[in-house]
Amino acid sequence: MVNLSRALPGLGNDAETYASNLESSKLGHRFRAAGRANDQAIRAALKAGDTAKAARLQTQHEAWKKQQRTHALDTAEKAYAAGDWSSAVADYQQRIGLGHNGNPQIWWHLANAIRNNGAPFEKDIAYSAYLAYERTIQQHKADVAILLPALNLLRQTLAARGNHLAEIHLLEAMYRAYPADTRIAADLKKTVMTYGFQVQSVTPDANQFPTRTCVKFTAPLSDAPDFHASNWVTFSPARPHAAVVRENGGICVTGLPAGSSTQMHIRAGLPAIAGAVMTAAKSITLTLPNRSPSIISDTGRFIIPASLPPAVGFSSVNISRVKLQINRVPERTLLEIAAPPPGAQLTAGEPVSIRVLGGSRPFHFLVDGRPIPSNPALRSVRWTPSVAGFYHLSILDANGKLVKRALRAVPPISAGNVEWGSTTVAQK
């Protein structure tokens, strides 16, 4: 399958808007008005307590909607079969205005009817072909007779509108989805060679280590196993430490110096997908800005254990002078709950030990906002959950620091019954 949302980003939203506009057009106004009247009658019957009448009206309403849609579709298909393209366009739009348009055949026939009608409505054809393909792959059993023809019609509309970059992207997706189809491969090669195998974008990133610059082309490079991007490019001035790799269909260069420009020369014959090649040598300028001023340090060592030397390593980028102030954080200023650990499962009716690390005495222990009696000289307290459920533990030290933790207690296992899964075994 072809992922159209990836190959042609944005077109899907436009196509769905097109479908929504047709469904809400004046063509279905009478149908929707009658439907609202039937809904009101059903609600009135329900309000009056006459459920039998409401059910009868609902059945009649569903049968009426099905009859209207079937009749509209039959009319459109007869015009389509007769080659009356103008009537077919109007009739299919009339059918779409009645809602429930998940049938891909409706959109496929509408696309062909618009095309055969001769009017320059490439956008409408593209939207209908897009919807035909998307509705087809959403079916439990896709209609393969629609898939490839819908993609080809969509591709033709892109070419007619002069959007050759999107045409190449769609052909590339089709080439990967149908690798055995030589016609698609030939069309992709011809389109790339006709409209240019060019550099599409250059994306520098000076803040990575090492620096990184990626060059994207209008068509992806060859993915043959013997293709090596470094064989096709040179630099001036020479960059002996630069690494050149193929990535995401383009060329990425790492290790160019920040704050400088480098000429990258691409040899003629650079191979692209489906046998297309770059016909002439090209030179592009890769400009990397200066790195952003920054200080880099191991943040895990800002708190230094007493057993280690008092040192913090750091490096700077594009900073000529800096004033640093390093403050020692005594362990006593930290406050954390040592027990019970996060996620611990307690048992209702069984005592549990609550312990705290750091902080300053005395400590105030609270569960669900109610204080637990404790010895001010101790860092721990015993507490028993009375019933199963969730509890909120809060500990406040003498300096006003507060830590919290959610606790959960489960029901106790009784002596008379032991449960494994859903089986209860009586103990004797």
Side-chain angles (χ1 to χ4, degrees):
M1 298 296 178
V2 173
N3 188 339
L4 287 181
S5 62
R6 179 179 298 175
L8 303 171
L11 184 58
N13 290 335
D14 294 340
E16 293 296 344
T17 300
Y18 171 75
S20 178
N21 290 338
L22 286 180
E23 291 174 357
S24 60
S25 65
K26 293 182 180 179
L27 296 174
H29 177 71
R30 184 181 302 175
F31 174 83
R32 290 187 294 275
R36 286 192 293 270
N38 289 337
D39 287 338
Q40 290 174 358
I42 293 170
R43 286 196 295 270
L46 290 173
K47 188 175 182 180
D50 193 346
T51 56
K53 181 180 179 181
R56 184 175 67 256
L57 290 175
Q58 181 67 41
T59 302
Q60 294 173 353
H61 181 46
E62 295 299 328
W64 174 80
K65 289 193 294 184
K66 183 177 180 180
Q67 179 186 19
Q68 293 293 311
R69 289 169 178 148
T70 301
H71 175 72
L73 183 58
D74 289 343
T75 302
E77 289 180 342
K78 287 178 182 178
Y80 187 89
D84 184 356
W85 306 120
S86 177
S87 297
V89 171
D91 291 340
Y92 276 114
Q93 290 178 342
Q94 173 71 49
R95 167 61 188 86
I96 292 170
L98 305 185
H100 280 214
N101 299 303
N103 183 359
Q105 199 75 30
I106 295 175
W107 296 104
W108 176 235
H109 283 176
L110 175 60
N112 281 294
I114 297 173
R115 179 183 60 171
N116 292 326
N117 198 32
F121 294 117
E122 286 86 1
K123 282 188 177 182
D124 292 358
I125 299 172
Y127 296 153
S128 299
Y130 187 104
L131 292 168
Y133 185 86
E134 288 295 303
R135 300 293 191 268
T136 300
I137 63 177
Q138 291 167 6
Q139 299 293 310
H140 178 68
K141 187 176 181 180
D143 186 353
V144 295
I146 293 179
L147 293 176
L148 191 54
L151 292 173
N152 280 321
L153 181 55
L154 180 56
R155 173 232 166 168
Q156 292 166 15
T157 61
L158 294 172
R161 294 165 59 189
N163 192 349
H164 300 297
L165 183 58
E167 181 188 3
I168 290 172
H169 289 166
L170 178 57
L171 278 170
E172 177 201 344
M174 293 169 61
Y175 173 76
R176 298 189 187 282
Y178 301 93
D181 194 318
T182 57
R183 177 64 182 273
I184 294 176
D187 288 344
L188 175 56
K189 179 179 179 180
K190 179 181 177 181
T191 305
V192 172
M193 298 295 289
T194 301
Y195 298 105
F197 178 29
Q198 305 288 338
V199 173
Q200 181 179 344
S201 63
V202 178
T203 308
D205 188 347
N207 291 319
Q208 286 201 32
F209 289 89
T211 63
R212 177 182 176 86
T213 303
C214 289
V215 180
K216 184 179 180 181
F217 299 89
T218 52
L221 299 180
S222 170
D223 53 6
D226 59 347
F227 171 77
H228 301 286
S230 58
N231 295 336
W232 295 92
V233 300
T234 58
F235 300 100
S236 58
R239 303 297 188 190
H241 301 295
V244 181
V245 296
R246 178 194 184 278
E247 188 174 310
N248 296 326
I251 293 177
C252 287
V253 184
T254 57
L256 296 178
S260 66
S261 295
T262 302
Q263 288 288 314
M264 184 172 81
H265 308 290
I266 306 174
R267 291 168 46 197
L270 177 69
I273 195 171
V277 297
M278 185 172 286
T279 56
K282 297 184 183 299
S283 295
I284 58 175
T285 301
L286 307 181
T287 300
L288 280 164
N290 283 322
R291 295 185 189 274
S292 301
S294 59
I295 296 177
I296 304 168
S297 178
D298 181 1
T299 58
R301 293 184 178 274
F302 283 144
I303 300 175
I304 306 170
S307 59
L308 294 181
V312 176
F314 68 92
S315 59
S316 63
V317 176
N318 281 345
I319 297 178
S320 58
R321 177 179 295 180
V322 63
K323 181 179 180 181
L324 290 179
Q325 181 176 348
I326 301 177
N327 298 319
R328 182 177 182 274
V329 180
E331 294 180 5
R332 186 167 293 182
T333 63
L334 304 176
L335 183 65
E336 61 178 305
I337 299 174
Q345 188 168 278
L346 314 180
T347 301
E350 296 185 5
V352 61
S353 175
I354 300 174
R355 291 184 291 109
V356 63
L357 289 178
S360 302
R361 298 182 181 88
F363 300 100
H364 300 279
F365 299 86
L366 302 97
V367 172
D368 292 340
R370 293 186 293 272
I372 304 174
S374 60
N375 186 333
L378 300 179
R379 292 178 170 270
S380 63
V381 68
R382 299 282 285 180
W383 169 74
T384 302
S386 56
V387 296
F390 287 92
Y391 297 86
H392 297 281
L393 170 65
S394 303
I395 302 176
L396 184 70
D397 80 342
N399 295 323
K401 291 186 174 61
L402 177 68
V403 288
K404 297 181 180 181
R405 179 164 296 169
L407 305 178
R408 182 191 179 194
V410 299
I413 299 177
S414 65
N417 295 286
V418 180
E419 295 186 2
W420 293 287
S422 59
T423 303
T424 302
V425 180
Q427 303 292 316
K428 294 183 180 179

